[in-house]
Amino acid sequence: MAARVLSTDMPQVVSPEQFKGVMRRLGSSVAVITSRHDARVNGMTATAVCSVSADPPSLLVVVNRANASHAMIRQGQAFAVNLLSQSQSDLAERFARRTPDPFSDVPHTLGVTGCPLLEECSGSLECTVVQETEVGTHTIFIGHVVSAKIGMAPPLLYHEGTYHALSALKRA
């Protein structure tokens, strides 16, 4: 079934600031999306990651077209999602900045796609790109999962501009 595109001619009644304010209320895991093209590697911090299907295993990432990772994913046709553990907020900050060599002194290996896999993560998934969809300033990359690694550390979470650790709710 082909994708159906809805009209974007409707008047804008929600400002970008209102939208961002509500979206900050959505708590999410923190990931570093890594990519590789030829000998170059890159990484970016993201919360826009979502499972698409378990059969076949696939997920999506959303990347701003102005971000260097966008071109790397498009050219390399692969990416890895490294789910950060609660002790890795420093890596979230590092990959959120434009650093000339973001992987220097960061323990990692290269996965089956050639994309960097960060050590001590809560988990990692390597994907090959199977579909791209441009929406506004971003591209949704859908990837077929070709490798998965489950870590033991609890995940790092992000809510209202702050990193958080996972804790269980106490029952009344």
Side-chain angles (χ1 to χ4, degrees):
M1 176 176 198
R4 195 175 107 195
V5 178
L6 302 177
S7 172
T8 57
D9 295 337
M10 296 176 63
Q12 185 172 351
V13 294
V14 175
S15 73
E17 292 73 27
Q18 287 174 307
F19 177 73
K20 289 176 189 176
V22 172
M23 293 308 295
R24 286 175 60 106
R25 304 291 299 155
L26 180 65
S28 58
S29 296
V30 181
V32 171
I33 299 169
T34 58
S35 50
R36 179 184 183 97
H37 178 64
D38 294 332
R40 295 178 33 234
V41 292
N42 198 39
M44 61 171 270
T45 302
T47 56
V49 175
C50 182
S51 66
V52 173
S53 172
D55 189 15
S58 54
L59 59 85
L60 66 81
V61 296
V62 183
V63 182
N64 190 313
R65 286 192 296 280
N67 190 301
S69 289
H70 185 275
M72 298 274 294
I73 293 170
R74 182 166 274 168
Q75 293 165 349
Q77 288 295 290
F79 60 88
V81 174
N82 297 271
L83 298 175
L84 297 184
S85 68
Q86 65 186 23
S87 65
Q88 294 179 308
S89 60
D90 58 324
L91 290 181
E93 291 295 324
R94 178 186 194 117
F95 285 96
R97 295 186 301 269
R98 296 178 197 261
T99 307
D101 186 9
F103 291 96
S104 67
D105 76 335
V106 173
H108 68 281
T109 58
L110 297 180
V112 297
T113 62
C115 295
L117 300 175
L118 304 178
E119 294 183 11
E120 300 180 22
C121 287
S122 288
S124 62
L125 297 162
E126 287 185 86
C127 301
T128 56
V129 175
V130 294
Q131 186 174 341
E132 298 178 26
T133 302
E134 293 187 358
V135 179
T137 57
H138 289 64
T139 298
I140 301 167
F141 290 100
I142 298 177
H144 172 75
V145 179
V146 297
S147 175
K149 178 182 170 191
I150 300 172
M152 298 306 293
L156 179 65
L157 304 176
Y158 190 73
H159 179 257
E160 284 287 334
T162 305
Y163 297 110
H164 299 274
L166 185 65
S167 65
L169 293 175
K170 296 186 181 183
R171 296 182 187 248

